[in-house]
Amino acid sequence: MAVRRIIALTLGWEDLPKSASVHGGSRTERVREPVPSLLLETGDGWLILDTGFNTALLRDPALRSRFYPSPNYQPSLSGSPSGEPLLEALDAVGVALGDITAVALSHLHVDHAGGLKHFAGRVPVHIQQAELDYGLNNHPEPEHYSMARIDYDDPRIDWVPATGDVQIAPGVTALSTPGHTPGHQSFVVDLAGGGGYVFACDAADLTENITEERAIGSFRGATPEQTVEQIRRLKDIGARRGYPVIPGHDPVAWPTLAAELSAL
Protein backbone atom coordinates (compact mmCIF):
# COMPACT_ATOMS: atom_id res chain seq x y z
CA MET A 1 0.00 0.00 0.00
CA ALA A 2 1.08 3.58 -0.58
CA VAL A 3 0.10 7.09 0.45
CA ARG A 4 -3.16 8.29 -1.09
CA ARG A 5 -2.72 11.99 -0.56
CA ILE A 6 -0.21 14.55 0.72
CA ILE A 7 -1.09 17.99 2.06
CA ALA A 8 1.62 20.54 2.81
CA LEU A 9 0.97 22.89 5.74
CA THR A 10 2.82 26.07 6.70
CA LEU A 11 2.65 26.68 10.45
CA GLY A 12 4.84 29.74 10.75
CA TRP A 13 8.01 31.45 9.59
CA GLU A 14 11.58 32.02 10.72
CA ASP A 15 13.55 35.13 9.90
CA LEU A 16 17.22 34.24 10.21
CA PRO A 17 20.63 34.70 8.58
CA LYS A 18 21.42 32.50 5.59
CA SER A 19 24.40 31.11 7.50
CA ALA A 20 21.91 29.24 9.73
CA SER A 21 20.95 27.10 6.73
CA VAL A 22 24.14 27.06 4.64
CA HIS A 23 27.55 26.44 6.17
CA GLY A 24 29.75 29.38 5.27
CA GLY A 25 26.75 31.36 4.04
CA SER A 26 26.22 35.05 4.58
CA ARG A 27 25.66 36.25 8.14
CA THR A 28 24.06 39.47 6.94
CA GLU A 29 21.71 38.13 4.23
CA ARG A 30 18.35 37.35 5.81
CA VAL A 31 16.02 34.54 4.75
CA ARG A 32 12.35 34.18 5.70
CA GLU A 33 11.88 30.43 5.86
CA PRO A 34 8.58 28.56 6.20
CA VAL A 35 7.91 26.23 9.12
CA PRO A 36 6.59 23.09 7.40
CA SER A 37 4.33 20.20 8.27
CA LEU A 38 2.97 17.38 6.11
CA LEU A 39 -0.28 15.46 6.26
CA LEU A 40 -0.13 12.01 4.70
CA GLU A 41 -3.27 9.97 4.09
CA THR A 42 -2.15 6.36 4.52
CA GLY A 43 -3.92 3.04 4.78
CA ASP A 44 -3.68 3.43 8.56
CA GLY A 45 -5.20 6.93 8.60
CA TRP A 46 -3.72 10.42 8.56
CA LEU A 47 -0.05 10.68 9.60
CA ILE A 48 1.40 14.12 10.35
CA LEU A 49 5.10 14.85 9.91
CA ASP A 50 6.31 17.61 12.25
CA THR A 51 4.09 19.92 14.29
CA GLY A 52 5.47 23.48 14.28
CA PHE A 53 5.98 25.76 17.29
CA ASN A 54 4.58 25.68 20.79
CA THR A 55 2.51 28.86 20.68
CA ALA A 56 2.85 29.52 24.41
CA LEU A 57 6.63 29.89 24.11
CA LEU A 58 6.19 32.58 21.47
CA ARG A 59 3.23 34.53 22.86
CA ASP A 60 4.17 34.77 26.53
CA PRO A 61 6.83 37.51 26.82
CA ALA A 62 8.75 35.82 29.63
CA LEU A 63 8.83 32.45 27.89
CA ARG A 64 9.79 34.02 24.58
CA SER A 65 12.72 35.81 26.17
CA ARG A 66 13.93 32.49 27.59
CA PHE A 67 13.44 30.21 24.60
CA TYR A 68 14.12 32.76 21.83
CA PRO A 69 16.70 35.12 23.36
CA SER A 70 18.63 35.93 20.18
CA PRO A 71 17.50 38.93 18.11
CA ASN A 72 19.21 37.21 15.18
CA TYR A 73 16.42 34.61 15.06
CA GLN A 74 12.85 35.86 14.82
CA PRO A 75 10.08 33.24 14.67
CA SER A 76 6.43 34.00 13.92
CA LEU A 77 3.21 32.02 13.72
CA SER A 78 0.73 31.55 10.90
CA GLY A 79 -3.02 31.99 11.34
CA SER A 80 -4.96 34.24 13.69
CA PRO A 81 -3.23 36.21 16.47
CA SER A 82 -4.59 34.04 19.28
CA GLY A 83 -5.27 30.73 17.53
CA GLU A 84 -3.32 27.50 17.24
CA PRO A 85 -1.63 27.38 13.81
CA LEU A 86 -1.75 23.59 13.58
CA LEU A 87 -5.44 23.36 14.43
CA GLU A 88 -6.32 26.20 12.08
CA ALA A 89 -4.29 24.62 9.26
CA LEU A 90 -6.05 21.29 9.77
CA ASP A 91 -9.44 22.99 9.76
CA ALA A 92 -8.58 24.80 6.52
CA VAL A 93 -7.97 21.49 4.71
CA GLY A 94 -10.90 19.66 6.28
CA VAL A 95 -8.93 17.26 8.49
CA ALA A 96 -10.02 16.94 12.12
CA LEU A 97 -7.48 16.51 14.88
CA GLY A 98 -9.19 13.21 15.72
CA ASP A 99 -8.56 11.97 12.17
CA ILE A 100 -4.81 11.90 12.80
CA THR A 101 -3.72 8.43 13.86
CA ALA A 102 0.06 8.96 14.21
CA VAL A 103 2.78 11.61 14.35
CA ALA A 104 6.37 11.43 13.11
CA LEU A 105 9.02 13.97 14.06
CA SER A 106 12.06 14.68 11.96
CA HIS A 107 13.73 15.98 15.14
CA LEU A 108 13.07 17.79 18.40
CA HIS A 109 13.85 21.40 17.52
CA VAL A 110 11.30 23.98 18.65
CA ASP A 111 9.93 24.57 15.14
CA HIS A 112 9.14 20.88 14.67
CA ALA A 113 8.14 19.47 18.07
CA GLY A 114 6.14 22.35 19.56
CA GLY A 115 2.76 20.99 18.50
CA LEU A 116 3.16 17.68 20.30
CA LYS A 117 0.90 19.06 23.04
CA HIS A 118 -2.04 18.37 20.72
CA PHE A 119 -1.21 14.66 20.48
CA ALA A 120 0.08 13.65 23.92
CA GLY A 121 -1.96 10.72 25.21
CA ARG A 122 -3.75 10.33 21.88
CA VAL A 123 -1.59 8.78 19.15
CA PRO A 124 1.87 7.18 18.74
CA VAL A 125 4.81 9.46 17.92
CA HIS A 126 7.62 8.11 15.74
CA ILE A 127 11.17 9.33 16.39
CA GLN A 128 14.73 8.06 16.24
CA GLN A 129 15.96 6.67 19.55
CA ALA A 130 19.16 8.73 19.28
CA GLU A 131 17.10 11.92 19.09
CA LEU A 132 15.03 11.03 22.12
CA ASP A 133 18.14 10.07 24.07
CA TYR A 134 19.81 13.37 23.25
CA GLY A 135 16.74 15.48 23.96
CA LEU A 136 16.08 13.94 27.37
CA ASN A 137 19.65 13.85 28.68
CA ASN A 138 22.46 16.23 29.60
CA HIS A 139 20.06 19.05 30.46
CA PRO A 140 20.35 21.97 29.74
CA GLU A 141 22.57 21.28 26.71
CA PRO A 142 19.66 20.45 24.35
CA GLU A 143 17.94 23.73 25.27
CA HIS A 144 21.05 25.61 24.20
CA TYR A 145 20.61 23.86 20.88
CA SER A 146 17.01 24.89 20.14
CA MET A 147 15.23 22.05 21.91
CA ALA A 148 12.59 23.04 24.47
CA ARG A 149 12.19 20.10 26.82
CA ILE A 150 8.73 21.34 27.78
CA ASP A 151 7.62 20.46 24.22
CA TYR A 152 8.40 16.75 24.46
CA ASP A 153 9.09 15.71 28.07
CA ASP A 154 5.53 14.55 28.70
CA PRO A 155 4.83 11.10 30.19
CA ARG A 156 1.64 10.90 28.13
CA ILE A 157 3.51 10.85 24.82
CA ASP A 158 3.44 7.38 23.26
CA TRP A 159 6.92 7.29 21.76
CA VAL A 160 7.73 4.78 19.04
CA PRO A 161 11.53 4.99 18.83
CA ALA A 162 13.48 3.55 15.90
CA THR A 163 17.12 2.78 15.30
CA GLY A 164 17.91 3.39 11.66
CA ASP A 165 15.64 3.29 8.64
CA VAL A 166 12.15 1.93 9.23
CA GLN A 167 8.73 1.87 7.60
CA ILE A 168 6.40 3.80 9.90
CA ALA A 169 3.18 3.59 7.84
CA PRO A 170 2.12 2.13 4.50
CA GLY A 171 4.14 4.01 1.90
CA VAL A 172 6.17 6.02 4.44
CA THR A 173 9.76 5.20 5.35
CA ALA A 174 11.76 7.13 7.93
CA LEU A 175 15.45 7.48 7.02
CA SER A 176 18.04 7.99 9.72
CA THR A 177 19.95 11.13 8.66
CA PRO A 178 21.85 12.36 11.74
CA GLY A 179 23.88 15.52 11.48
CA HIS A 180 21.56 18.47 11.97
CA THR A 181 20.71 16.79 15.27
CA PRO A 182 22.01 13.49 16.68
CA GLY A 183 18.86 11.62 15.69
CA HIS A 184 17.45 13.57 12.77
CA GLN A 185 15.33 11.61 10.31
CA SER A 186 14.06 12.31 6.79
CA PHE A 187 11.21 10.57 4.97
CA VAL A 188 10.48 8.78 1.70
CA VAL A 189 6.83 8.84 0.63
CA ASP A 190 5.48 6.52 -2.07
CA LEU A 191 2.26 7.66 -3.71
CA ALA A 192 -0.56 5.28 -4.57
CA GLY A 193 -0.82 6.62 -8.11
CA GLY A 194 2.90 6.23 -8.71
CA GLY A 195 5.84 8.47 -7.96
CA GLY A 196 6.65 10.01 -4.65
CA TYR A 197 8.94 12.34 -2.74
CA VAL A 198 12.03 12.36 -0.57
CA PHE A 199 11.49 14.88 2.21
CA ALA A 200 14.91 15.94 3.47
CA CYS A 201 13.51 17.94 6.40
CA ASP A 202 16.46 19.71 8.05
CA ALA A 203 19.08 17.47 6.50
CA ALA A 204 18.85 20.14 3.77
CA ASP A 205 17.12 23.44 4.51
CA LEU A 206 17.41 25.10 1.11
CA THR A 207 17.44 24.01 -2.51
CA GLU A 208 21.10 24.97 -2.84
CA ASN A 209 22.01 22.56 -0.04
CA ILE A 210 20.80 19.86 -2.42
CA THR A 211 21.67 21.09 -5.90
CA GLU A 212 25.09 22.46 -4.94
CA GLU A 213 25.69 19.89 -2.17
CA ARG A 214 26.45 22.61 0.33
CA ALA A 215 26.70 21.65 3.99
CA ILE A 216 23.88 22.74 6.26
CA GLY A 217 24.52 25.62 8.61
CA SER A 218 23.51 23.97 11.87
CA PHE A 219 24.76 20.57 12.98
CA ARG A 220 25.45 18.63 16.16
CA GLY A 221 27.77 15.67 16.60
CA ALA A 222 28.79 15.82 12.95
CA THR A 223 31.12 17.68 10.63
CA PRO A 224 29.97 19.82 7.70
CA GLU A 225 31.27 17.12 5.35
CA GLN A 226 29.15 14.50 7.07
CA THR A 227 26.02 16.58 6.51
CA VAL A 228 26.87 16.64 2.79
CA GLU A 229 27.12 12.85 2.87
CA GLN A 230 23.52 12.71 4.12
CA ILE A 231 22.43 15.04 1.32
CA ARG A 232 24.13 12.80 -1.23
CA ARG A 233 22.43 9.76 0.25
CA LEU A 234 19.02 11.41 -0.07
CA LYS A 235 19.80 12.46 -3.65
CA ASP A 236 20.83 8.89 -4.48
CA ILE A 237 17.59 7.49 -3.06
CA GLY A 238 15.61 10.08 -5.01
CA ALA A 239 17.48 9.33 -8.24
CA ARG A 240 16.97 5.58 -7.93
CA ARG A 241 13.25 6.00 -7.32
CA GLY A 242 12.73 8.94 -9.64
CA TYR A 243 11.54 11.13 -6.74
CA PRO A 244 12.42 14.79 -6.16
CA VAL A 245 14.27 15.66 -2.96
CA ILE A 246 12.38 18.42 -1.13
CA PRO A 247 14.36 20.74 1.17
CA GLY A 248 12.94 21.41 4.60
CA HIS A 249 12.68 25.21 4.77
CA ASP A 250 13.12 26.65 1.30
CA PRO A 251 11.01 29.82 0.83
CA VAL A 252 10.45 29.05 -2.87
CA ALA A 253 10.40 25.25 -3.01
CA TRP A 254 7.92 24.84 -0.13
CA PRO A 255 5.06 27.00 -1.46
CA THR A 256 5.68 25.53 -4.91
CA LEU A 257 5.29 22.04 -3.48
CA ALA A 258 2.14 23.05 -1.59
CA ALA A 259 0.57 24.36 -4.80
CA GLU A 260 1.62 21.24 -6.70
CA LEU A 261 0.10 18.94 -4.10
CA SER A 262 -3.14 20.91 -3.88
CA ALA A 263 -3.61 20.42 -7.61
CA LEU A 264 -3.37 16.61 -7.41
Side-chain angles (χ1 to χ4, degrees):
M1 297 179 67
V3 172
R4 300 166 186 161
R5 185 183 177 196
I6 307 177
I7 302 173
L9 308 177
T10 301
L11 303 180
W13 293 271
E14 300 166 299
D15 184 278
L16 69 176
K18 189 172 183 179
S19 58
S21 290
V22 179
H23 183 63
S26 172
R27 294 180 179 274
T28 57
E29 180 183 352
R30 307 289 296 184
V31 185
R32 186 174 186 259
E33 298 183 356
V35 174
S37 178
L38 287 161
L39 279 171
L40 310 179
E41 187 180 15
T42 77
D44 293 340
W46 285 99
L47 166 68
I48 190 167
L49 305 183
D50 289 334
T51 64
F53 291 113
N54 184 336
T55 53
L57 305 189
L58 282 171
R59 290 180 175 144
D60 181 275
L63 291 175
R64 183 169 182 132
S65 68
R66 171 181 167 177
F67 290 99
Y68 302 98
S70 173
N72 211 29
Y73 173 78
Q74 291 298 315
S76 58
L77 302 169
S78 65
S80 63
S82 60
E84 286 287 340
L86 179 57
L87 301 184
E88 292 183 349
L90 291 175
D91 184 62
V93 297
V95 176
L97 186 66
D99 294 334
I100 295 173
T101 57
V103 175
L105 292 183
S106 59
H107 60 301
L108 290 172
H109 277 170
V110 290
D111 53 333
H112 295 261
L116 279 179
K117 62 185 181 181
H118 300 299
F119 303 102
R122 292 189 54 254
V123 300
V125 179
H126 297 272
I127 193 169
Q128 289 289 315
Q129 183 69 61
E131 187 75 356
L132 198 56
D133 289 344
Y134 178 77
L136 291 175
N137 289 289
N138 301 316
H139 187 73
E141 180 187 333
E143 187 171 313
H144 293 313
Y145 192 59
S146 300
M147 293 181 182
R149 188 163 178 153
I150 193 172
D151 286 343
Y152 54 84
D153 189 3
D154 186 333
R156 299 173 301 158
I157 296 176
D158 179 15
W159 295 111
V160 183
T163 303
D165 300 351
V166 62
Q167 181 173 316
I168 60 173
V172 185
T173 301
L175 304 173
S176 175
T177 50
H180 179 60
T181 60
H184 183 278
Q185 59 184 0
S186 306
F187 302 93
V188 177
V189 176
D190 303 307
L191 289 172
Y197 297 89
V198 178
F199 292 104
C201 302
D202 286 20
D205 277 359
L206 304 179
T207 296
E208 67 186 82
N209 292 119
I210 298 167
T211 57
E212 301 176 24
E213 296 185 355
R214 299 192 66 181
I216 57 177
S218 176
F219 41 86
R220 192 70 174 170
T223 64
E225 293 75 19
Q226 287 171 326
T227 72
V228 174
E229 290 173 7
Q230 299 291 8
I231 291 169
R232 289 173 178 155
R233 180 186 179 219
L234 295 174
K235 289 177 69 175
D236 180 63
I237 291 170
R240 284 189 279 110
R241 296 187 181 221
Y243 296 175
V245 182
I246 308 299
H249 289 280
D250 193 278
V252 175
W254 187 255
T256 299
L257 172 71
E260 174 185 307
L261 293 173
S262 66
L264 294 179

